[in-house]
Amino acid sequence: MTDAVLVFTFSPVQSFIVEARRAADLYVGSRILSELAKAAAQAIGAGNLVYPASLNGSVPNVIVARVPVPVADVKQIAEDAEQALRCEWRRICQTAHDQFAAWKFTDSVFDAIWKRQVDHLWEVFWVAAEEETSGYRDAYKRARAALDAVKRSRLFAACDEPGIKDTLSGRREALHQHGQTHFAQVKGFWAQVGKRTTAAKLRPDGRERLDAIGATK
């Protein structure tokens, strides 16, 4: 049985890293990306991997593997990798959410914003090219070209982000509770959160207002 070259990746990467309050956030952002990539790579199977050759250390967000040719099998492998990535992301986010819940800062509105932002962050792309008689090198070139085309023409669901925006991206809604619709109210919410944080101190008086992504990092 011949093989197919599978190229798997996800985004956004650059904005995820650079939306940071300080150096610690840059480090954590990079670590999270590596853990997501590692989860996907493990689902694909270490024995199938071409790049990275090892899952020790940092894992890049582009994974290349040689997998069995039947389309159904390749599709299932890629879908399993995507599911593993999203499950790991939800697990990481849940640890941050649990802290907000322990501080009693969560309610139905907070949770709705959190779920929307966590669920709509990552876009996953994958392409497989059969090696046939041309071998790995040609199949890899065809897969990368197809992946580039898919990423340029991607379609994704719109996600409305109303209300007061977070101070990192300036695009997503800052987390808040029910009834906190005005700037002063959201700022007051984050002023209270800032009084409870320890290792990753927020600027006082609500001058930093985070969304679910920034809060997780």
Side-chain angles (χ1 to χ4, degrees):
M1 180 183 294
T2 57
D3 290 332
V5 176
L6 170 66
V7 183
F8 179 100
T9 188
F10 59 99
S11 67
V13 172
Q14 293 301 322
S15 62
F16 183 79
I17 294 175
V18 302
E19 289 171 6
R21 298 177 302 117
R22 45 182 60 90
D25 289 0
L26 293 171
Y27 172 76
V28 171
S30 296
R31 283 291 304 275
I32 289 174
L33 289 172
S34 179
E35 291 303 311
L36 299 182
K38 184 178 294 186
Q42 288 173 337
I44 291 171
N48 295 325
L49 295 179
V50 175
Y51 178 79
S54 170
L55 298 182
N56 296 325
S58 182
V59 178
N61 76 304
V62 177
I63 300 164
V64 181
R66 299 176 77 179
V67 295
V69 145
V71 174
D73 292 349
V74 176
K75 183 174 184 291
Q76 188 61 58
I77 290 170
E79 289 178 348
D80 288 347
E82 177 176 355
Q83 181 64 20
L85 181 152
R86 296 191 186 280
C87 285
E88 178 64 10
W89 170 240
R90 288 193 291 269
R91 184 195 68 79
I92 292 169
C93 292
Q94 189 61 47
T95 62
H97 183 277
D98 289 347
Q99 183 63 76
F100 280 90
W103 289 332
K104 303 190 183 305
F105 286 128
T106 61
D107 65 4
S108 60
V109 170
F110 182 102
D111 289 347
I113 298 171
W114 188 280
K115 185 178 188 305
R116 181 184 74 234
Q117 294 175 345
V118 167
D119 289 351
H120 284 84
L121 180 64
W122 300 113
E123 295 179 78
V124 173
F125 309 93
W126 66 270
V127 169
E130 192 172 345
E131 290 190 14
E132 300 173 328
T133 59
S134 57
Y136 168 82
R137 181 177 180 180
D138 179 68
Y140 173 75
K141 287 182 177 180
R142 286 186 284 116
R144 284 308 301 247
L147 182 66
D148 291 341
V150 168
K151 292 174 71 175
R152 285 195 299 270
S153 61
R154 66 187 185 271
L155 299 175
F156 51 89
C159 182
D160 187 29
E161 289 288 346
I164 308 303
K165 300 302 186 283
D166 72 292
T167 52
L168 287 182
S169 76
R171 297 179 288 108
R172 292 183 291 267
E173 186 176 13
L175 293 162
H176 60 85
Q177 293 178 319
H178 177 74
Q180 297 172 339
T181 58
H182 299 297
F183 179 80
Q185 294 170 320
V186 176
K187 185 177 180 180
F189 172 79
W190 281 98
Q192 293 302 311
V193 174
K195 294 177 181 178
R196 299 300 302 271
T197 57
T198 54
K201 290 185 180 293
L202 294 170
R203 292 179 182 176
D205 303 322
R207 285 182 286 168
E208 285 186 315
R209 301 169 297 280
L210 305 180
D211 65 348
I213 314 308
T216 295
K217 287 189 288 186

